[in-house]
Amino acid sequence: MARRRQIYEGKAKILYEGPEPGTLIQYFKDDATAFNAQKKGTISGKGVLNNRISEHIFTLLGGIGIPTHFLRRLNMREQLIRQVEIVPIEVVVRNVVAGSLSKRIGVEEGQQLPRTIIEYYYKDDALGDPMVSDEHILCFGWASQEELHDMADMAIRVNDYLSGLFAGIGIRLVDFKLEFGRIWENEFSRVILADEISPDGCRLWDMASGEKLDKDRFRRDLGGEVEAYQEVARRLGLLPEDGDTPVLDLDSHRKLRGK
Ligand code: UDP
């Protein structure tokens, strides 16, 4: 089969031309980067897990009426998505102090926030994705007032839904990053959820042990990255409870589960 035309290659994913106009194929790589790509590595099997986890979460979000770019999963590493014009803003939602917030305000990680915080970062690798305010976004035209409102509204709905979903499987949703894209219908456009939702862009802490089940394992050299991602997939019901799978390392898996 002729290889499809590559549209874009990012740090963890590649986008290819889709089979129909207005569609793309999103390919999940095993590559991992952190600290604005200063740290690079490979987490073997990550792409397969993120493809499956993101499919599951986007499907659930679609079910509660959040519009997303996800159409269907094609195979272990690829999914068919709607082509969108990416809004150059990363929307970060925080429930608990961690990561850059902890550093910026000098508060220890783990403190529950009295209210959910939404932050915006301007997507620009050369600038290191600086944090910006809604004033900057409107002033420089990165998104309109209506789009900003819709993105914040969806971010809160996603947070409420996912906080409950993860709490039900013993995981604390500490923070996460969302990306949105514009789709055009005649001369009108609207924003829909794009990119992915996976342990690459979320902080997920085991409620009982506090163990990190996300990309911080890679960022902070904690090891056991793929086992942590597998654990998230397993608790979401996406891997068999017991028995082997192609990407399962049972020893570390048991260790992580405290067995
Ligand atoms: N995040 C992300 N991509 C980025 C920056 C952040 O997916 O380029 C996610 C990150 O995984 C975490 C949340 O957004 O779940 C908040 O990240 P933070 O601002 O604390 O930055 P970090 O500590 O990752 O540099």
Side-chain angles (χ1 to χ4, degrees), residues 90 92 94 99-100 121 175-177 200-203 219:
E90 295 191 344
V92 167
R94 300 183 184 274
S100 70
Y121 293 84
D175 56 33
F176 60 95
K177 185 256 304 183
D200 266 8
C202 302
R203 283 199 171 88
R219 290 190 192 100

Side-chain angles (χ1 to χ4, degrees), residues 57 61 64 66 91-96 112-119 150-168 171-178 180 193 197 201-204:
I57 292 179
L61 292 174
I64 61 158
I66 308 262
V91 178
V92 167
V93 181
R94 300 183 184 274
N95 301 306
V96 178
Q112 184 77 36
L113 293 165
R115 47 169 287 169
T116 297
I117 293 175
I118 298 188
E119 294 172 349
D150 288 349
M151 291 192 293
D153 192 63
M154 282 189 262
I156 292 296
R157 288 177 68 202
V158 170
N159 184 50
D160 287 346
Y161 183 83
L162 292 187
S163 293
L165 176 78
F166 281 116
I171 292 174
R172 193 173 182 201
L173 180 61
V174 169
D175 56 33
F176 60 95
K177 185 256 304 183
L178 297 178
F180 294 88
L193 193 59
I197 299 181
C202 302
R203 283 199 171 88
L204 304 168

Side-chain angles (χ1 to χ4, degrees), residues 20-80:
E20 289 145 41
T23 65
L24 294 177
I25 291 167
Q26 178 164 253
Y27 176 95
F28 288 76
K29 300 193 280 186
D30 285 345
D31 296 350
T33 62
F35 314 118
N36 199 25
Q38 287 173 56
K39 179 180 166 113
K40 289 194 176 108
T42 306
I43 303 172
S44 183
K46 172 175 83 82
V48 174
L49 289 159
N50 281 356
N51 185 24
R52 191 73 187 84
I53 293 170
S54 199
E55 170 198 16
H56 183 68
I57 292 179
F58 273 60
T59 302
L60 291 173
L61 292 174
I64 61 158
I66 308 262
T68 83
H69 74 163
F70 179 81
L71 294 170
R72 65 191 162 86
R73 187 165 62 84
L74 297 171
N75 54 49
M76 297 276 274
R77 286 189 185 268
E78 293 178 325
Q79 48 183 243
L80 186 68

Side-chain angles (χ1 to χ4, degrees), residues 176-209:
F176 60 95
K177 185 256 304 183
L178 297 178
E179 292 193 28
F180 294 88
R182 270 178 210 110
I183 51 168
W184 292 87
E185 279 150 7
N186 303 318
E187 68 266 45
F188 297 103
S189 75
R190 63 184 179 117
V191 282
I192 65 174
L193 193 59
D195 193 47
E196 69 179 297
I197 299 181
S198 73
D200 266 8
C202 302
R203 283 199 171 88
L204 304 168
W205 295 355
D206 179 72
M207 279 181 167
S209 66

